[in-house]
Amino acid sequence: MPLARSLSVTSLSGLEEWDEEFDREDAVLFEIAWEVANKGVHVSFLGYDVSMLMYHCTHLHAYLQRSTLKFKFRAGKIFFYVYFGRWLIEGSPYVILLDVGFTAWSLDRWKIELWENFSIGVPWFDREANDAVLFGFLTAWLLGECDEPPHIGAHFHEWLAGLGLVLCRQRQLPVATIFTTHATLLGRYLCAGSVDFYNKLAEFNVDKEAGDRQIYHRYCLERAAARCAHVFTTVSQITAVEAEHLLKRKPDIVTPNGLNVKKFSAMHEFQNLHAQSKARIQEFVRGHFYGHLDFNLDKTVFLFIAGRYEFSNKGADLFLEALARLNYLLRVNHSEVTIIAFFIMPARTNNFNVETLKGQAVRKQLWDTAQTVKERFGKKLYESLLVGQLPDVSKMLDKEDFTMMKRAIFATQRQCLPPICTHNMLEDSSDPILNCIRRIGLFNSAQDRVKVIFHPEFLSSTSPLLPMDYEEFVRGCHLGVFPSYYEPWGYTPAECTVMGIPSVSTNLSGFGCFMEEHIADPSAYGIYILDRRYRGVDESCNQLTSFLFQFCQQSRRQRIIQRNRTERLSDLLDWRYLGRYYVSARHMALAKAFPDTYIYEPQEPTSATGFRYPRPASVPPSPAHSLHSSPHHSEAEDEEEPYDEDLEVEKDRVNIRQPFNLPNRNKNQTVGLPEKN
């Protein structure tokens, strides 16, 4: 019986079945973060959440179940409201919301206490840091009031929630604390300043650098949380090195961020979903480029970059430069392939661009005209056949039909080039992406084989311009490009992977390093790893251009094969597997906080440090490994390319190996379990 392509983690021979959850009758876990149910934080085995109330009370019940309870607590002379309910996401986790607004009048007193006990001063003008102080003191008070069950674990995420951890340790509360930094605060600022960050990590004067950027108080809160925690974790090996130098503590364990693969899973339907979503993107392109639609949409490749608008950190600068070089290569090689690159990064705008909206209106008008003519044509054809006569084609379309079509064609006349940006930018003259486009000269002209569309707003299915959710949009594209210089993990390429879309990442991102460790030949599986650590900017740009040019040379069938291989990697990123690292961190914290009750016996990593997916048995689709890959070769050549998907899946299943041994959790062992008297 052939093996199904969509494998679960437990079905792979190299992975032991694992269903361990944080479920102890004498312990409770609090997950503490700045925002409720942070993406990438919640998995099925997480316990309660303590989080800041980020929404007005009038909107609260839109996000929590109707059975939400509202309590009024008194902490000394302070009254504040606490909301308790279930969050309306998959798994429906319990949530506790702290309304910090009622405690704002205590801010000065608590800041004095913060200075006297920790020598950390928070300036009055930093509203976010002030809210973090309020949230930290309320969190510490709430944890201090818990007396049942006797053992409490608290997992704090990022510097915004870190003060609560520091106060727990200072007050000697019986709480096992864990601190996870998903990205160091100072690291993000330094990378945005165009410094040689990774090669000079050991040389930075961290106090001076933080002070120069006016974030010293924030940096102190983050560093204090990292130093005080029983267990310090981070999301990737590259961030672990960064944290060791900037926060002066080596992480105890790396806890990679996973995804709920079941949410994205489409089994064998994911190829059909790609075709459907691609057709919707093509409709948008028809409207956007009306009057200049001089390229074949069937030979058009959609690339995209998305995420926080950090021009250098996210690699948008490198991507644009590579697109300019790719445009030159495609033109000199007389390629029939057209590239449309989407930039989905939120920026300050005031409305949609009129010319962009007009394009979609013109497209709809043309569609309506075609439908009207088709109905009239069909009616005449039906009547002719009804009387038993073959239709006279010359009489099927009358003068009125031709007039209607000519008017529609006249409406498509355009005196300007298709717009680069879909919105009116508030800071057009200083926008980094637009200025870079002006410099490299990619203006969507007829001669350009690379077109650029900048959508400075997150995608939404309710948008009148591009009515698609982000997930639908990703499924419709051919390649995600994320050449980040600073990316502690990288959810965007991970989401591409679980949806079967190839992507470009870097060896400076947590995702890229994770895939390099676990896959013998990442590019064969549609994971292109760009070297930004050991190469200069120009060399990295040339490498990215080479990746893109090679991808453009693939035939349609080669891209389908590659998408099959990419989707097969989704189990690597499933919380069902990666969640074990979070559970291990919590057991470690309980053992450190309550050594008389809990025992933690870590095991040394074995030589098998990764899954090591093998290179696919068939010829890889990347032109880097294939001499005959070309957009012009015949379908007969495609058919000769050996490819047996079931055989490849079976070999992956046999060759997969467990990354490293976590503490064994067999019932007969005491790892992470209370000692028996």
Side-chain angles (χ1 to χ4, degrees):
M1 179 178 179
L3 185 67
R5 177 166 47 77
S6 183
L7 302 171
S8 66
V9 171
T10 55
S11 69
L12 297 171
S13 61
L15 284 175
E16 299 177 359
E17 187 168 347
W18 176 81
D19 58 359
E20 179 72 29
E21 296 189 0
F22 190 88
D23 186 13
R24 299 283 177 263
E25 294 181 357
D26 62 342
V28 65
L29 169 68
F30 288 86
E31 192 83 3
I32 303 170
W34 184 252
E35 293 175 343
V36 174
N38 268 336
K39 187 175 184 180
V41 172
H42 274 296
V43 283
S44 60
F45 52 80
L46 298 189
Y48 291 92
D49 261 340
V50 180
S51 184
M52 179 177 177
L53 176 58
M54 297 293 290
Y55 304 97
H56 295 295
C57 294
T58 54
H59 297 159
L60 181 63
H61 297 286
Y63 300 95
L64 295 180
Q65 290 182 353
R66 290 185 178 181
S67 59
T68 300
L69 301 178
K70 179 179 179 181
F71 301 95
K72 187 175 183 180
F73 281 93
R74 178 171 181 173
K77 298 181 179 180
I78 302 170
F79 290 93
F80 65 97
Y81 286 102
V82 173
Y83 298 84
F84 176 78
R86 287 184 179 272
W87 198 248
L88 295 180
I89 61 172
E90 187 174 352
S92 300
Y94 289 111
V95 177
I96 298 174
L97 299 173
L98 305 182
D99 191 346
V100 301
F102 284 88
T103 60
W105 64 276
S106 299
L107 178 62
D108 290 339
R109 181 164 61 87
W110 284 346
K111 287 167 71 171
I112 292 174
E113 183 178 342
L114 183 63
W115 172 258
E116 291 177 347
N117 292 330
F118 309 105
S119 299
I120 299 176
V122 178
W124 63 270
F125 56 80
D126 191 341
R127 181 174 179 178
E128 193 172 34
N130 288 332
D131 286 343
V133 171
L134 297 175
F135 183 51
F137 273 86
L138 290 180
T139 300
W141 173 85
L142 184 64
L143 293 175
E145 291 296 308
C146 298
D147 53 1
E148 292 184 5
H151 304 115
I152 300 172
H155 194 151
F156 297 81
H157 293 266
E158 300 286 24
W159 72 272
L160 290 158
L163 179 57
L165 184 153
V166 178
L167 291 170
C168 286
R169 297 306 306 276
Q170 186 260 339
R171 297 174 182 179
Q172 298 182 350
L173 299 180
V175 177
T177 58
I178 307 162
F179 181 68
T180 296
T181 177
H182 297 261
T184 68
L185 187 68
L186 184 56
R188 191 178 297 278
Y189 274 84
L190 287 171
C191 287
S194 300
V195 299
D196 189 7
F197 180 68
Y198 291 97
N199 291 325
K200 296 183 178 179
L201 263 177
E203 303 174 12
F204 289 120
N205 183 337
V206 291
D207 294 313
K208 179 181 183 301
E209 296 290 349
D212 291 344
R213 289 159 178 78
Q214 299 185 6
I215 58 167
Y216 187 66
H217 55 289
R218 297 185 177 197
Y219 168 74
C220 289
L221 289 174
E222 181 180 37
R223 182 169 170 177
R227 297 296 296 273
C228 292
H230 288 105
V231 173
F232 175 44
T233 79
T234 188
V235 296
S236 64
Q237 292 291 349
I238 192 75
T239 313
V241 175
E242 171 189 343
E244 184 176 1
H245 287 90
L246 300 187
L247 300 181
K248 307 304 180 183
R249 178 176 176 179
K250 183 178 181 180
D252 299 289
I253 188 171
V254 173
T255 52
N257 284 333
L259 289 168
N260 183 3
V261 173
K262 183 179 178 182
K263 171 185 174 183
F264 300 98
S265 177
M267 300 295 286
H268 294 282
E269 285 296 310
F270 81 96
Q271 294 283 9
N272 294 333
L273 292 176
H274 166 74
Q276 294 169 11
S277 297
K278 183 179 70 173
R280 297 180 63 183
I281 297 176
Q282 287 176 336
E283 282 299 297
F284 167 78
V285 169
R286 289 187 178 99
H288 192 81
F289 289 91
Y290 83 93
H292 295 273
L293 201 62
D294 50 5
F295 51 89
N296 187 350
L297 281 175
D298 290 332
K299 295 182 179 180
T300 299
V301 176
F302 298 133
L303 314 181
F304 81 98
I305 182 173
R308 187 186 293 111
Y309 196 172
E310 296 179 1
F311 185 64
S312 298
N313 283 358
K314 296 298 181 182
D317 52 348
L318 196 71
F319 186 29
L320 281 168
E321 185 62 37
L323 287 176
R325 301 182 186 188
L326 176 64
N327 184 51
Y328 172 78
L329 287 177
L330 294 176
R331 290 175 63 177
V332 298
N333 286 278
H334 305 289
S335 175
E336 296 181 1
V337 176
T338 300
I339 302 296
I340 296 182
F342 290 88
F343 287 75
I344 313 296
M345 292 182 164
R348 297 182 61 197
T349 63
N350 57 18
N351 212 331
F352 292 107
N353 187 302
V354 173
E355 188 64 26
T356 305
L357 289 174
K358 180 183 176 182
Q360 300 308 312
V362 169
R363 178 194 60 80
K364 187 177 185 303
Q365 181 185 9
L366 287 174
W367 175 258
D368 293 340
T369 300
Q371 292 298 107
T372 302
V373 173
K374 184 179 73 172
E375 291 177 3
R376 292 162 64 95
F377 184 94
K379 184 178 180 181
K380 293 177 182 179
L381 178 62
Y382 169 71
E383 292 175 349
S384 176
L385 295 176
L386 201 61
V387 298
Q389 296 179 357
L390 290 175
D392 186 352
V393 180
S394 63
K395 296 181 180 180
M396 296 300 290
L397 296 176
D398 54 26
K399 185 177 180 180
E400 183 179 352
D401 294 327
F402 280 103
T403 301
M404 190 183 305
M405 290 187 291
K406 288 179 180 178
R407 290 176 61 184
I409 294 174
F410 182 76
T412 64
Q413 303 303 310
R414 200 176 202 173
Q415 304 302 321
C416 61
L417 293 174
I420 297 291
C421 188
T422 59
H423 292 61
N424 294 323
M425 301 288 291
L426 290 180
E427 300 172 351
D428 182 286
S429 61
S430 60
D431 183 79
I433 288 180
L434 295 181
N435 281 339
C436 187
I437 290 174
R438 295 182 185 110
R439 179 179 60 81
I440 62 181
L442 288 179
F443 298 123
N444 293 341
S445 64
Q447 296 77 25
D448 290 330
R449 299 266 46 85
V450 174
K451 320 287 185 181
V452 178
I453 299 177
F454 179 26
H455 190 281
E457 193 176 74
F458 285 131
L459 298 172
S460 171
S461 59
T462 60
S463 171
L465 194 62
L466 185 56
M468 300 180 71
D469 288 329
Y470 177 73
E471 179 182 339
E472 296 175 301
F473 176 79
V474 172
R475 287 192 185 276
C477 290
H478 296 94
L479 181 71
V481 184
F482 313 103
S484 304
Y485 184 75
Y486 185 78
E487 190 70 77
W489 175 243
Y491 265 113
T492 42
E495 288 170 338
C496 286
T497 301
V498 300
M499 287 187 273
I501 303 300
S503 63
V504 177
S505 187
T506 73
N507 58 358
L508 291 181
S509 71
F511 173 84
C513 295
F514 183 84
M515 286 302 183
E516 277 189 321
E517 178 186 356
H518 291 73
I519 307 173
D521 184 7
S523 62
Y525 286 88
I527 308 296
Y528 298 92
I529 309 298
L530 184 67
D531 185 3
R532 295 204 64 179
R533 187 169 189 179
Y534 304 108
R535 298 193 184 194
V537 176
D538 189 64
E539 290 180 292
S540 297
C541 189
N542 285 334
Q543 186 184 19
L544 177 57
T545 305
S546 176
F547 284 159
L548 299 180
F549 186 67
Q550 291 167 11
F551 188 83
C552 295
Q553 290 181 297
Q554 292 182 9
S555 67
R556 181 174 179 272
R557 183 174 185 272
Q558 287 175 316
R559 290 200 298 266
I560 291 174
I561 292 174
Q562 191 176 62
R563 282 197 295 272
N564 284 336
R565 293 171 180 163
T566 302
E567 194 268 346
R568 208 156 63 229
L569 300 177
S570 59
D571 288 316
L572 280 174
L573 306 169
D574 198 338
W575 270 127
R576 290 177 301 165
Y577 169 69
L578 296 180
R580 63 178 64 187
Y581 301 107
Y582 277 83
V583 172
S584 181
R586 286 154 190 167
H587 281 290
M588 185 187 300
L590 285 171
K592 288 185 177 181
F594 310 107
D596 296 334
T597 307
Y598 293 91
I599 296 177
Y600 182 84
E601 297 176 355
Q603 298 180 8
E604 291 297 326
T606 64
S607 59
T609 59
F611 282 117
R612 305 307 296 174
Y613 269 74
R615 175 179 290 184
S618 64
V619 177
S622 172
H625 307 287
S626 178
L627 298 178
H628 65 273
S629 296
S630 166
H632 302 291
H633 69 271
S634 66
E635 292 296 323
E637 289 177 315
D638 278 342
E639 294 300 328
E640 293 174 1
E641 182 177 313
Y643 174 68
D644 187 331
E645 184 179 342
D646 291 332
L647 178 62
E648 284 192 7
V649 173
E650 183 66 24
K651 288 191 175 184
D652 284 348
R653 186 178 68 84
V654 171
N655 285 278
I656 197 170
R657 295 203 302 269
Q658 192 167 344
F660 54 82
N661 292 331
L662 288 172
N664 199 329
R665 291 184 177 79
N666 294 334
K667 293 182 179 179
N668 296 330
Q669 295 188 8
T670 60
V671 177
L673 298 174
E675 288 184 335
K676 295 183 179 180
N677 296 328

